[in-house]
Amino acid sequence: MNFLDKLTKTATNTYKYTQEKTSKITKIAKLKSLMNEDKQKIDDLYNEIGKNVYENHVREEKIDIIAKIEEICKEIDVYADEIELTRMDILKLKDLKQCKKCSYEMELDFNFCPSCGELQDNENRKIQKEQLEENTNNELEVDEDK
């Protein structure tokens, strides 16, 4: 392989790496934006609960607001679940995992949590191994094409 071929291969690999990282950063930014929107919706629902409670307090005739508050709480639960799923997607894009005991964010290959010492599950290591094998297979296919 001559110098220009090596240079082309290096440039191509650098471009692919940069494109992948840029794509991840963009996806993370979009997910964080969605998560912030959901947090704002939760705050609005908290305010609505407070408003309903206060309005019931100042009314001469009391009404049953428990059903309305329970309905709002169910909406909050939905948004909270969406936030959690989005947060897990962000962790995946950052190639991180979370300790189930203390919620510390760490590298995928950590066997123990650096914060609490909890033994981590092997599921993330299996995913990482599969990704490594996939990348190796892709590199072999590129080499075979030459």
Side-chain angles (χ1 to χ4, degrees), residues 3-143:
F3 174 74
L4 290 178
D5 289 338
K6 288 181 184 178
L7 182 62
T8 302
K9 182 178 179 182
T10 302
T12 301
N13 289 340
T14 302
Y15 170 76
K16 287 179 183 178
Y17 175 80
T18 304
Q19 182 182 21
E20 182 180 304
K21 287 294 181 184
T22 304
S23 175
K24 279 186 179 183
I25 290 169
T26 303
K27 288 177 185 175
I28 289 169
K30 286 179 183 178
L31 289 171
K32 284 184 177 182
S33 175
L34 290 173
M35 193 164 46
N36 286 333
E37 288 175 16
D38 287 342
K39 286 179 181 179
Q40 183 59 50
K41 289 175 185 175
I42 288 175
D43 286 342
D44 293 344
L45 291 170
Y46 286 154
N47 288 332
E48 188 177 337
I49 289 172
K51 182 180 175 184
N52 286 324
V53 169
Y54 182 73
E55 285 176 354
N56 191 47
H57 167 73
V58 295
R59 285 191 183 137
E60 287 183 20
E61 60 182 68
K62 304 294 183 195
I63 59 171
D64 184 23
I65 62 170
I66 293 175
K68 175 120 175 117
I69 290 175
E70 286 178 356
E71 180 183 315
I72 294 171
C73 287
K74 287 179 184 176
E75 285 183 63
I76 291 172
D77 290 341
V78 168
Y79 287 122
D81 290 343
E82 287 179 20
I83 289 170
E84 183 61 20
L85 290 173
T86 303
R87 198 179 62 70
M88 296 308 287
D89 288 343
I90 291 171
L91 280 176
K92 190 179 288 187
L93 285 169
K94 289 181 173 182
D95 294 326
L96 296 175
K97 65 180 176 181
Q98 183 180 23
C99 177
K100 295 198 186 305
K101 182 176 180 183
C102 72
S103 300
Y104 183 82
E105 295 178 4
M106 68 191 100
E107 300 293 324
L108 291 173
D109 60 347
F110 283 14
N111 293 327
F112 294 92
C113 175
S115 179
C116 70
E118 182 77 8
L119 178 65
Q120 300 301 302
D121 61 2
N122 291 335
E123 185 175 320
N124 290 321
R125 284 189 290 248
K126 289 177 187 175
I127 292 169
Q128 186 181 20
K129 184 178 178 182
E130 289 171 4
Q131 289 173 344
L132 180 63
E133 289 173 358
E134 182 179 318
N135 289 341
T136 303
N137 290 339
N138 289 342
E139 289 174 6
L140 289 175
E141 289 174 7
V142 170
D143 288 340

